């Protein structure tokens, strides 16, 4: 008997894990009927963090675009929802349309910001976020610098509002996970990772660098816009300095670095861990933020693959089949 090598995408473990994900998603749909209102609101926050982590990982982990300005789209989604409700649209349809509007904003900005690379791209996205924050601050119809409330949700009772917000947030989280999963399983996913590793080399073998980067940038704009709109629906009040704040970038970087940059499961692990840490230590104020930064730096220096990268490297079995792997086979 001889042995050979063959390329496989899925395994028994990945098929079982995929079924568990489906079962978990169905179970999560019933949570508003099984837990208290406070838990529902906390779970909604967790799903928002998950969306942000998945979107930043898609940009940086798979596309090599390290953005520190995704709060531009978070704020655009939130204030887009306010704008649409002021024109008479119902709040939840406004959340969906504002998310699409954030994607359109990303598409309009992409010809400019995608000319930049590395640190220039990071700084450029941050400048865009600051400009949008200033524009909102000067607009008194949107509350100016004092903030604004989403009054349209007052027509719902508190428990019903929390349940509806939970369900739409869960739907967005599952949709975005599915889109990233499908993108990575397509040949586009391999092309994006080639761009991440060496943009010039990828272009030299025929990869369409600019359109693929634009696709990923628009997807991240849509996801972050949804996260901003859902944050507004969950808290009912926003201010420019908070919703456009750079702390969102700190949160995203922490979740992705700790969970596992460039892995599909890593951002999920990072979001759960970050949510747990925030729930326990958020009252510490500035010390809490400094601690997050130090932990992120430590992971970047000493455990660059993150927690999930460490586990997957030892197990050698991917739970969700987004890539390919070589394994020995009997011939």
């Amino acid at each position: 008997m001889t042995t050979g090598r063959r390329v496989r995408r899925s395994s028994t473990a990945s098929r079982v894990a995929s079924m568990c994900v489906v079962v978990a998603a169905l179970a999560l749909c019933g949570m508003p009927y099984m837990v208290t209102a406070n838990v529902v609101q906390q779970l909604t926050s967790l799903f928002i963090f998950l969306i942000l982590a998945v979107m930043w990982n898609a940009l940086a982990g798979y596309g090599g675009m390290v953005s520190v300005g995704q709060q531009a789209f978070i704020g655009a989604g939130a204030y887009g929802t306010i704008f649409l409700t002021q024109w008479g649209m119902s709040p939840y349809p406004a959340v969906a349309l504002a998310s699409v509007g954030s994607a359109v904003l990303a598409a309009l900005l992409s010809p400019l910001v995608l000319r930049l690379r590395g640190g220039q791209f990071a700084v450029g996205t941050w400048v865009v976020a600051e400009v949008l924050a200033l524009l909102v601050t000067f607009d008194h119809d949107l509350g100016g610098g004092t903030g604004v409330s989403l009054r349209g949700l007052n027509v719902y009772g508190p428990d019903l509002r929390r349940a509806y917000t939970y369900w739409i947030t869960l739907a967005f989280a599952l949709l975005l996970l599915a889109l990233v999963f499908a993108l990575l399983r397509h040949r586009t996913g391999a092309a994006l990772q080639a761009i991440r590793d060496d943009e010039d080399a990828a272009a030299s073998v025929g990869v369409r660098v600019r359109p693929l980067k634009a696709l990923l940038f628009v997807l991240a704009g849509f996801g972050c816009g949804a996260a901003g709109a859902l944050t507004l629906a969950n808290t009912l009040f926003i201010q420019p300095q908070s919703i456009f704040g750079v702390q969102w970038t700190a949160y995203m970087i922490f979740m992705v670095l700790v969970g596992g940059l460039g892995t599909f499961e890593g951002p999920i692990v990072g979001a759960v861990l970050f949510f747990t840490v925030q729930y326990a230590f958020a009252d510490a104020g500035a010390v809490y933020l400094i601690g997050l930064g130090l932990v992120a730096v430590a992971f970047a220096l000493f455990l660059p693959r993150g927690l999930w990268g460490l586990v997957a490297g030892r197990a050698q079995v991917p739970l969700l089949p987004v890539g390919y792997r070589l394994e020995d086979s009997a011939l």
Side-chain angles (χ1 to χ4, degrees), residues 28 41 49 66 69 71 75 158 163 166 172 192 194 241 251 265 299 307 316 321:
L28 286 171
Q41 191 164 15
F49 289 142
V66 180
Q71 61 269 20
Y166 171 89
F172 267 104
L192 286 169
Q241 61 267 33
Y251 297 162
E265 301 90 346
F299 268 84
L307 294 175
Q316 295 296 320

Side-chain angles (χ1 to χ4, degrees), residues 41 44-45 47-49 51-52 74 77-78 81 95 150 153 161 165 169 224-238 242-243 248:
Q41 191 164 15
T44 302
S45 298
F47 295 150
I48 292 171
F49 289 142
I51 291 171
L52 292 173
I74 297 172
T81 303
V95 166
L150 184 60
L153 289 180
R161 174 182 60 78
T165 303
T169 305
C224 289
L230 293 165
T231 297
L232 170 63
N234 198 35
T235 62
L236 300 181
F237 180 79
I238 52 170
S242 61
I243 201 68
W248 291 107

